Amino acid sequence: MDLKSNHTPVLTDSAAPINITKSRLGVHSSLLPYSPTGTTIPHGMLLTIPRKKAGFLEDVRSSGWLDAMKSSSPPPRKITKDVSHGFASSEADSSYFSWLLKYPSALTSFEQITNYAKGKRIALFLDYDGTLSPIVDNPDCAFMSDNMRAAVKRVAEYFPTAIISGRNRDMVYEFVGLTELYYAGSHGMDIMCPVKSTNKQKQDKEVNLFQPAAEFLPMIDEVFRSLVETTKDIKGAKVENNKFCASVHYRNVDEKNWDLVGQCVHDVLKGYPRLRLTHGRKVLEVRPVINWDKGKAVTFILESLGLANCDDVLPIYIGDDRTDEDAFKVLREGNKGYGILVSSAPKQSNANYSLRDPSEVMEFLKSLVLWRSNLAL
Ligand SMILES: O=P(O)(O)OC[C@H]1O[C@H](O[C@H]2O[C@H](CO)[C@@H](O)[C@H](O)[C@H]2O)[C@H](O)[C@@H](O)[C@@H]1O
């Protein structure tokens, strides 16, 4: 199939279920071909590929992209007083305080959350960057702390836990380093689930893979190389190959050159009508135009866990980025669970609660463990 053509390909039709690739751990998953054989996708999770609208790509300066780039990641704010306890001494604090009324802290509302969770099975979904690890200048060095790793490990002993990241799955798997979790990389387009089996040996070695954008792999690879080439002279620009998406970082680029970064990305994208652009924190992300996002990944994982559409299941998703909004939306719209936004600055969100930063995320995870282990007594 000509991946560059403007034809809308049919990845599947509603009568034909998509397949999930199966592979074994131990073989680097990026070396595994996408195989049309495997487990059937849960019912209701079929893919559609919307056509990109004509005129989608416009000049970066005239279309507001530069504004979007500027506002993509507000600088971290120091909060002078503990606003969660009602003290606000600056204008910024007071706007954060009013924002908290709409998105209450998940820590101060912990009792409310656990009251609702009583008798329910919690499923936990965690974003990586900005949620489990602090935002740092070099994406290759966004390590999570050992304490955070221990907290995630512990919480996963009580609740099924998934990491849902924009990163290459192998990279986030390496950063987190816990085999017992579900991992969804490339904004949910690369899902790895541990195989449920009574055979311990098999359980350790086998995983299920689901890659709804598998056929875009050569295209993304090509785009990644073009982006590296076109941005190579922009000081500080960094292009990351996230397997089913390519990310162009401009955090370390002088602000006067941001429009140049945006223009380079738009110019490359012009040749690829089946790819689109999304904004993350000081990063432009190029990804396939498929109807799949972190929200779909959450639904997929819940289905594969046998936890979808169950009244006694409470999914909780914690994330900090725009791409996490798709997951918050799924949980909010179906009244299915809780979204928790990690942010120290007020922003509009589909989440129900908030946490200020990764250290509060860790506190929340520890509180869940304590609550759950007390219930077991
Ligand atoms: O979905 P996530 O796990 O939050 O991943 C989103 C992107 O995170 C990474 O970039 C962001 O974090 C970097 C390290 O702190 C920071 O330098 C960068 O400015 C942020 O955009 C990651 O590098 C991207 O590939 C992910 O898509």
Side-chain angles (χ1 to χ4, degrees):
M1 185 193 298
D2 173 14
L3 288 173
K4 254 178 135 173
S5 78
N6 205 5
H7 297 267
T8 302
V10 180
L11 279 189
T12 182
D13 62 50
S14 51
I18 293 178
N19 295 299
I20 297 171
T21 47
K22 255 189 165 182
S23 75
R24 282 169 194 284
L25 270 181
V27 179
H28 197 272
S29 61
S30 59
L31 298 176
L32 294 164
Y34 181 71
S35 142
T37 57
T39 318
T40 307
I41 187 170
H43 181 70
M45 301 292 294
L46 297 170
L47 292 178
T48 52
I49 303 184
R51 253 179 222 277
K52 195 153 66 182
K53 287 193 192 94
F56 180 80
L57 295 170
E58 288 158 18
D59 184 277
V60 67
R61 280 161 293 245
S62 62
S63 63
W65 284 104
L66 191 55
D67 289 341
M69 286 172 80
K70 282 184 180 158
S71 66
S72 77
S73 186
R77 278 190 327 109
K78 273 218 162 66
I79 291 152
T80 46
K81 296 269 178 193
D82 187 355
V83 288
S84 56
H85 290 100
F87 302 103
S89 64
S90 70
E91 208 180 302
D93 283 359
S94 89
S95 73
Y96 181 70
F97 182 63
S98 343
W99 180 78
L100 273 181
L101 298 174
K102 193 167 176 203
Y103 305 97
S105 159
L107 289 173
T108 50
S109 310
F110 191 73
E111 206 178 318
Q112 190 185 346
I113 295 172
T114 47
N115 277 342
Y116 187 69
K118 259 184 209 143
K120 294 189 168 69
R121 291 172 286 166
I122 291 178
L124 205 54
F125 297 90
L126 304 168
D127 166 58
Y128 183 76
D129 287 279
T131 297
L132 296 182
S133 69
I135 294 294
V136 292
D137 284 346
N138 182 354
D140 298 339
C141 297
F143 306 114
M144 69 194 271
S145 67
D146 287 343
N147 286 342
M148 181 65 97
R149 185 170 297 100
V152 175
K153 189 176 173 52
R154 197 90 171 90
V155 87
E157 285 165 17
Y158 290 100
F159 316 109
T161 301
I163 308 289
I164 317 271
S165 174
R167 283 183 182 263
N168 182 320
R169 178 172 50 78
D170 291 326
M171 179 105 177
V172 76
Y173 180 79
E174 221 170 273
F175 274 155
V176 177
L178 299 170
T179 52
E180 58 272 47
L181 311 183
Y182 279 65
Y183 288 87
S186 311
H187 296 294
M189 288 179 283
D190 189 10
I191 302 179
M192 181 177 85
C193 319
V195 164
K196 282 224 176 102
S197 163
T198 42
N199 180 337
K200 177 77 181 102
Q201 228 176 4
K202 205 176 160 197
Q203 202 175 359
D204 285 347
K205 285 196 190 121
E206 278 199 343
V207 292
N208 280 333
L209 284 187
F210 177 60
Q211 299 175 329
E215 64 178 299
F216 286 86
L217 206 53
M219 189 192 281
I220 296 289
D221 216 45
E222 192 176 293
V223 166
F224 166 72
R225 278 183 275 114
S226 303
L227 290 169
V228 170
E229 182 55 32
T230 57
T231 59
K232 71 174 192 289
D233 294 327
I234 307 175
K235 196 167 168 243
K238 179 181 169 71
V239 189
E240 208 182 347
N241 189 340
N242 282 330
K243 197 164 177 174
F244 296 111
C245 53
S247 307
V248 184
H249 293 274
Y250 55 93
R251 181 172 294 277
N252 302 318
V253 174
D254 192 319
E255 198 168 328
K256 69 177 188 313
N257 290 328
W258 285 5
D259 60 343
L260 199 56
V261 176
Q263 198 62 60
C264 284
V265 176
H266 280 74
D267 288 347
V268 169
L269 263 179
K270 275 181 192 153
Y272 296 91
R274 295 180 61 215
L275 299 180
R276 68 184 171 116
L277 186 64
T278 56
H279 292 253
R281 298 179 71 156
K282 302 265 188 285
V283 66
L284 296 173
E285 308 204 89
V286 175
R287 50 157 115 181
V289 183
I290 64 167
N291 188 8
W292 196 267
D293 52 36
K294 287 185 172 186
K296 292 272 190 319
V298 166
T299 309
F300 178 88
I301 292 173
L302 284 172
E303 293 220 4
S304 70
L305 282 165
L307 299 178
N309 305 316
C310 303
D311 290 342
D312 67 338
V313 171
L314 179 67
I316 296 179
Y317 187 107
I318 312 180
D320 72 313
D321 213 345
R322 289 189 194 182
T323 57
D324 299 311
E325 291 296 329
D326 295 317
F328 295 151
K329 201 160 168 236
V330 162
L331 298 186
R332 181 183 275 273
E333 277 174 358
N335 211 7
K336 289 189 189 115
Y338 291 138
I340 302 177
L341 175 69
V342 183
S343 180
S344 60
K347 51 178 160 173
Q348 191 59 34
S349 173
N350 287 305
N352 310 79
Y353 295 100
S354 67
L355 288 167
R356 227 145 55 184
D357 51 29
S359 70
E360 284 204 354
V361 173
M362 187 162 78
E363 211 179 317
F364 181 76
L365 299 181
K366 285 180 175 172
S367 305
L368 277 180
V369 167
L370 194 66
W371 166 74
R372 184 61 183 76
S373 52
N374 282 342
L375 278 187
L377 295 176

